[in-house]
Structures are given as C-alpha cells and as structure tokens.
C-alpha cells in the first residue's frame, strides 16, 4: 500500500506498520532457523568445546574429521551402520516409496475415473477407507503380517506396507476429474485405446502433479521413523532417521560424547528432504495446498 | 466417473489390482487382526489366547495410568494445535502484508517442514541439554531450573515446543496461500469500509480463512496424535518411565515392549474409533467448505 501515500509529502516517512510486520517475520524466521543453524555449526566444533561451552554460533575446524567418522565409522555392534549405508537406505526408502506410491495410485485413479466399472463405488470405498487410519494405529498387527510373510529386514517390508494408504490415489483422482472430458472423447475418435490415452495424454498432462506428489511422498518416506524402527533390526538396514535413536544412545555413557558426529548425522538426515522442498518449493506448495480440494 | 470413459472389462481390474492387493494385505488384514485380538487375552510367550470379551477395554478405562496418558494427550494436542495454528496465522498475515519479500519469508519459514520428527526431537535434546543446552540456560536465566527427561512438566513443555516448531511451516503455507487467494476487490472494499487493520482482519479476512482453518485444525489434531511419535520417543530417549507420553506411544510401549498384545490392540481400536470420528467431522466440514469457494 506504499503508493497510497499522498504525492505531496516531501520525504517518505517511515512506515511503522511495515517495520512491525518485518520485525515479526524476522523473529519468526529466527525461531525456525536458529536451532538448525546451531546444529549445523556444531558439526564443526570439537566435542570437548561443546561440553565446556555448549553449541555456539561459530565455525570450527573439525568438520572433515567429524564427516569421516560419521560417514565411514560404524556406531553399532555389527559395524554395518555407517553413515554411508544409512544414507543409501534412506534414499532407497524415500525414492522407492514415492515411485511405488505414484505408479500404483495413478493406475488405480485412472481405473476409477476413466472406466465404467460395475463395482466402481465399492472399489472407491475399499480404497478410500484407508485414508482414515494411519499406520500407527495398526502398527503391531502390521508387524505380525510382515513377519509372517518373511519380510522383516527387507526393502519390500520397509516400503510396501507404507504404500497401503490411498492419499496419492485420492489426489490423482481429484486431479483427473478436473481434466476436461473432451480430451477422452477426442482421443477415442482418433482411435486411441486406454493404454495409449494414458501414456500419451494423461501422464504428460499430469507432469506437475506427479512432480508435486513425488516431492511430498519422498519427504514422507524419508522421514518415516516408527515403521523402520520396528521392521529393521539388522543394522545394515537402518535408515538415517531410524538411526537417530542409535545416535542419541551413543551420546550417553562415553567419556567425551561424540556430539560432532551425532550432529553431522542429524544434518545429513535433514539435508536431502530440505533440499528437495526448497528447490521445488512452488511445486511443493502447489501439491500441498491444491490437492486437498 | 466420467461419461466418456472406456468400456474395456478387464483393463480397470488389472489397473486396480496392485492397489487392492496391497491394501488387503497390509491394511485390512492387520486392521481386522487388531479388532480381533482386542477381544483376546494373549499369552506373552505365544502359548495360545483366551477370549475375554470386552475385558481389555474395561481394564483400560478403569486403569488410572491410561487415563493419565489420555489426559496428557488431550492437553498436548490442544496446546500443539493452538500454538502452531496461532503462530503460523500471525506469520502468514504479516507475510501477506509485506509487499516485498513474501517469497523470501516463505522460503525461510518452510525448511523445517522437511525435518523428520525424531530429528526435530534430537535438536530438542541438544537445545535442552542439562549442562549446556542454550534453552536450558535461557530458562535458568529466568530462574527456571529446566530438567529434561526427569521433571514431568519440563519434558512436556519441551515436547510441546518441539512439536509446535515442527508444525508451523505446514500451517504457514496453507494460511499464506489461503490469504493470497482472497480477491483484490474484496480487500479494497474492506479497506474502504474499515480503516483499522485489526477490524479488517476479524471482519473480512478471518471469516474467509475459516475453511482453511477448519481443515488445518483436523490436520493438526492428527499430527499431534500420531506424527509426534518420533519427537516423543527421542525426547524421552526411549525410556518412558515417569515421562509424559501420548496414546500412540503407549500403544507401542505396551504392545511392542510390554508384550501386552490384547491391551495394545484394544488401545489401537480406541484410536481407530477416534480417528474415524475426526474424519467424519472433517468430511462434513469439507462439504461446507465447498460452499465457500
């Protein structure tokens, strides 16, 4: 509203309202960011300094050493859970979950929206009741099922049960329904079958939606904690987020707890999802706010 | 279900199959199993089970510890929901006000969305470290002897703070895009009718934002109930003891650690009913929401 000030004023007076707005926003940003910055800084400071002075807003020279320890030295009993291994597992979980979910959801949503199906509404309800119950409430029986199927400590056991909810299906269904019907008609007149229509028209049209879903689902999968904690007991299957528990436990008992290394592992666990969200923020915001309609 | 769909018979079934199979095995089977075993008393060593009817439920409701956890969960949910919505709304209104930099602030405030709950809990552990945590020192400065993990209220306060911190970005993004979708003409009309910014906010902006607010309310309640698991687990370092815990955490502790399968299942079923009620409530609100837009 800056242009509404009268033209005659010789000198623009300070707009105290705007100063107030910026003050609140800067304080808010500091509240959100300072803890992260402190943890990042701590990765560079010698562990002894932390015990003496606590995390400081300064940069030390220990980063290389802490990085070496965090990525290549194992903290567990078997020596299998190095940072590199956990990072790899996190990527398998994040990408595998996002891809699996999107493929399965797009297929199901396509079937529901574009086909005349006798039991369509039944299929719809069977699928969408899963939106109601998060994995957390059926955690034990899910564990038992995975155990009976012999899928403990496998990537399939880690990923597939997480896919068993219809969030993405719901979003794709809403999206497909907003695509003009004339497209199908035109495609049919041109002689395109269902497969051709799906691959040549629907998938290219849904590109931004797919991208937005991928970002949201990747972050969701990467950040999973409870399920990986239950399903992976072998250390070479740990993900970074699941390894946090191990990391905090190493802080107890030892003479000089390895804060630098622990913090570095936490930072590595944060980095990929944060990077994805920041780089693709317009898609991410689009996916998050538009898909709920 | 569009008018001009395809009419191939086997195609939609093939497309729906993957989703239906995964849901059947990893959703309906465990959910059914949870309901079933909530009526049984299971031997912790796996030697059979006895049908006990509603005993597990009556035991829970008569159990003072369960009541204590339920009350804590209620208080925790109310506090987390209130503060994360209020702070996010304040920041969103301010970001919407400033002409320049709304995008910059959005980027700054979004980061934490991608931080996994247990990693957020880990950052909380660092901030509230007994001897050198910056926030412990800050509390000490005001004469508050903060003891994380020992004092019930202090641990609860840390849980609320970390959970609010983690949830602000989501609410902020929704509120900001809600605000930015209010038409310019409406704002200008309001500007003519009502000179005071506070008055404009309560009379015009707030009612227009109410649908977003209702939707976020449900999202936040679900978040406080389920997604804070990682925060709670990290902050109490996996040792519940006398520490506060939420209902979902208790399902895990009793079932997975305590081997009380029947009791844990009954708790799961109670949570399922709770989520079910919430969702029905939400669907009604979304119905109403469509009339707004």
């Amino acid at each position: 509203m800056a242009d509404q000030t009268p033209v005659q004023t010789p000198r623009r007076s300070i707009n105290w309202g705007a100063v107030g707005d910026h003050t609140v926003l800067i304080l808010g940003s500091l509240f959100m960011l300072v803890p992260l910055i402190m943890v990042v800084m701590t990765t560079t400071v010698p562990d002894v300094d932390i015990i003496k002075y606590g995390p400081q807003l300064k940069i030390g020279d220990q980063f290389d050493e802490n990085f070496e320890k965090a990525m290549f030295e194992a903290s567990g009993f078997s020596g299998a859970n190095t940072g590199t291994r956990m990072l790899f597992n996190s990527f398998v979980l994040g990408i595998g979950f996002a891809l699996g979910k999107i493929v399965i959801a797009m297929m199901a949503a396509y079937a529901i929206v574009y086909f005349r199906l006798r039991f369509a509404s039944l299929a719809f309800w069977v699928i969408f009741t899963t939106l109601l119950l998060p994995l957390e409430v059926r955690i034990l029986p899910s564990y038992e099922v995975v155990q009976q199927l012999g899928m403990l400590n496998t990537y399939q056991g880690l990923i597939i049960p997480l896919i068993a909810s219809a969030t993405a299906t719901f979003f794709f269904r809403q999206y497909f329904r907003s695509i003009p019907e004339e497209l199908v008609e035109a495609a049919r007149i041109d002689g395109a079958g269902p497969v051709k229509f799906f691959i040549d028209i629907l998938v290219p049209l849904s590109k931004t939606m797919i991208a937005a879903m991928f970002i949201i689902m990747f972050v969701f999968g990467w950040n999973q904690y409870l399920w990986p904690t239950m399903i992976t007991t072998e250390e070479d299957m740990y993900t970074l987020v699941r390894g946090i528990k191990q990391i905090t436990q190493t802080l107890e008992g030892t003479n000089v707890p390895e804060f630098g290394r622990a913090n570095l592992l936490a930072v590595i666990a944060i980095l990929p999802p944060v990077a994805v969200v920041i780089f693709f923020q317009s898609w991410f915001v689009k996916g998050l706010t538009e898909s709920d309609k | 279900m569009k008018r001009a769909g395809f009419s191939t018979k086997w195609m939609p079934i093939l497309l729906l199959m993957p989703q239906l199979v995964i849901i059947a095995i990893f959703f309906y089977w465990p959910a059914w199993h949870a309901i079933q075993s909530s009526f049984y008393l299971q031997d912790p060593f796996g030697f059979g089970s006895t049908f006990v009817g509603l005993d597990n439920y009556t035991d829970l409701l008569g159990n003072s510890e369960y009541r204590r956890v339920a009350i804590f969960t209620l208080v925790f949910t109310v506090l987390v929901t209130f503060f994360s919505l209020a702070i996010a709304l304040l920041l969103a209104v301010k970001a919407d006000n400033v002409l320049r930099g709304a995008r910059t602030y959005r980027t700054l405030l979004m980061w934490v969305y991608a931080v996994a709950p247990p990693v957020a809990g880990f950052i909380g552990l660092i901030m509230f470290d007994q001897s050198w945590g910056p926030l412990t020192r800050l509390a000490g400065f005001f004469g508050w002897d903060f003891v994380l993990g020992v004092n019930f209220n202090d641990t609860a306060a840390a849980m609320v703070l970390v959970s609010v911190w983690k949830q602000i970005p989501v609410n902020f993004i929704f509120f900001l895009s809600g605000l930015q979708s209010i038409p310019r003409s409406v704002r200008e009309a309001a500007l003519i009718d009502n000179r005071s910014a506070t008055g404009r906010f309560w009379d015009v902006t707030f009612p227009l934002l109410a649908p977003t607010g209702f939707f976020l309310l449900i999202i936040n309640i679900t978040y406080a109930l389920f997604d804070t698991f990682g925060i709670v687990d990290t902050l109490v370092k996996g040792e519940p003891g006398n520490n506060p815990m939420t209902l979902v955490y208790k399902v895990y502790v009793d079932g997975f650690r305590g081997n009380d399968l029947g009791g844990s299942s009954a708790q799961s079923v109670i949570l399922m009913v709770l989520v079910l009620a919430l969702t029905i409530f939400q669907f009604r609100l979304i119905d109403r929401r469509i009339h707004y837009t």
Side-chain angles (χ1 to χ4, degrees), chain B residues 26-293:
Chain B
F26 296 105
F27 184 89
Y28 283 102
W29 187 9
W32 170 245
H33 200 77
I35 296 171
Q36 219 181 12
S37 59
S38 72
F39 296 109
Y40 284 85
L41 187 67
Q42 285 197 6
D43 187 279
F45 302 101
F47 301 115
S49 51
T50 353
F51 183 78
V52 289
L54 289 171
D55 277 9
N56 286 324
Y57 292 94
T58 46
D59 280 358
L60 275 181
L61 298 177
N63 183 330
S64 66
E65 211 224 317
Y66 187 74
R67 276 208 302 268
R68 201 175 69 123
V69 173
I71 289 169
F72 174 76
T73 310
L74 183 70
V75 174
F76 175 80
T77 306
V78 169
L79 290 176
V80 170
T81 306
F82 176 76
F83 282 113
S84 53
L85 281 176
I87 298 172
L89 181 59
L90 175 73
L91 290 171
V93 169
K94 297 297 178 195
D96 188 46
N97 271 349
V98 301
L99 291 177
R100 277 177 229 101
R103 273 184 69 92
T104 317
Y105 285 119
R106 194 182 74 181
T107 309
L108 287 177
L109 289 164
M110 236 170 50
W111 289 56
V112 175
Y113 168 86
V115 175
V119 181
F122 173 77
I123 294 173
L125 278 184
I126 297 288
M127 293 293 129
F128 284 111
D129 185 274
Q130 196 42 59
S131 44
W132 45 259
L135 288 177
T136 314
R137 284 186 178 172
L138 186 71
F141 181 75
F142 291 107
W144 180 2
D145 188 16
F146 200 98
V147 207
L148 180 71
V150 178
N151 183 310
F152 185 93
N153 289 328
D154 290 357
T155 314
M159 277 177 193
V160 172
L161 183 69
V162 176
S163 307
V164 168
W165 180 73
K166 166 91 185 82
Q167 185 65 4
I168 285 175
V170 178
N171 296 339
F172 174 76
I173 290 167
F174 275 99
F175 276 137
L176 186 60
S177 38
L179 282 168
Q180 289 182 337
S181 67
I182 296 177
R184 275 247 92 81
S185 53
V186 174
R187 291 167 183 239
E188 276 154 21
L191 204 63
I192 294 165
D193 281 353
N194 195 340
R195 296 295 294 173
S196 112
T198 331
R200 279 203 304 276
F201 175 77
W202 289 113
D203 291 344
V204 181
T205 317
F206 192 75
L208 282 172
L209 218 53
T212 314
F214 278 131
F215 168 75
L216 284 179
L217 188 68
I218 306 289
I219 298 279
N220 281 272
I221 293 172
T222 332
Y223 162 79
L225 284 175
F226 299 106
D227 296 342
T228 50
F229 180 92
I231 295 174
V232 174
D233 192 38
T234 324
L235 280 178
V236 304
K237 296 177 187 167
E239 282 157 22
N242 184 39
N243 282 316
M245 56 175 153
T246 56
L247 286 171
V248 171
Y249 197 65
K250 194 166 160 57
V251 171
Y252 167 76
V253 168
D254 288 1
F256 208 59
R257 300 260 192 81
N259 261 326
D260 175 14
L261 296 180
S264 169
S265 298
Q267 291 182 33
S268 287
V269 175
I270 291 177
L271 280 175
M272 285 189 208
V273 173
L274 202 67
V275 185
L276 215 63
L278 265 176
T279 316
I280 292 168
F281 185 62
Q282 180 186 5
F283 271 120
R284 300 208 142 181
L285 285 176
I286 285 181
D287 267 354
R288 223 198 297 167
R289 187 170 177 235
I290 292 163
H291 296 294
Y292 280 101
T293 38

Side-chain angles (χ1 to χ4, degrees), chain A residues 21-22 32 55 113-114 116-117 126 129 132 137-138 140 144 169 176 179 188 223 225 245 281 289 292, chain B residues 2-3 5-6 19 26 28 33 94 97 105-107 114 132 165 177 226 233 264 268 275 279 289:
Chain A
D21 289 347
H22 281 287
M32 297 311 284
V113 177
Y114 283 96
R116 276 188 224 113
L117 210 60
V126 165
T129 353
L132 306 184
V137 304
R138 52 196 157 82
L140 267 175
E144 283 169 358
T169 317
F176 289 167
I179 292 175
R188 290 186 68 184
N223 284 349
Y225 176 64
K245 198 169 200 167
Q281 57 169 303
T289 53
D292 69 284
Chain B
K2 303 214 170 191
R3 272 181 296 118
F6 297 102
Q19 174 115 56
F26 296 105
Y28 283 102
H33 200 77
K94 297 297 178 195
N97 271 349
Y105 285 119
R106 194 182 74 181
T107 309
W132 45 259
W165 180 73
S177 38
F226 299 106
D233 192 38
S264 169
S268 287
V275 185
T279 316
R289 187 170 177 235

Side-chain angles (χ1 to χ4, degrees), chain A residues 20 25 27 30 59 87 120 125-126 129 133 154 170 172 188 211 213-214 216 220 222 270 277 291:
Chain A
L25 284 166
L27 285 178
L30 286 176
I59 298 173
L87 187 67
W125 283 110
V126 165
T129 353
L133 299 179
T154 63
F170 186 68
F172 278 114
R188 290 186 68 184
M213 278 294 112
F214 186 85
I216 293 170
F220 183 85
W222 180 285
I270 293 172
V277 166
S291 45

Side-chain angles (χ1 to χ4, degrees), chain A residues 108 110-124, chain B residues 1-2 6-14 16 20:
Chain A
Y110 183 49
I112 289 174
V113 177
Y114 283 96
F115 287 85
R116 276 188 224 113
L117 210 60
R118 214 184 310 144
F119 49 94
S121 60
L122 177 72
F124 177 82
Chain B
M1 282 114 265
K2 303 214 170 191
F6 297 102
S7 43
T8 333
K9 282 238 163 50
W10 49 269
M11 188 80 173
I13 298 171
L14 214 66
L16 277 170
L20 289 178

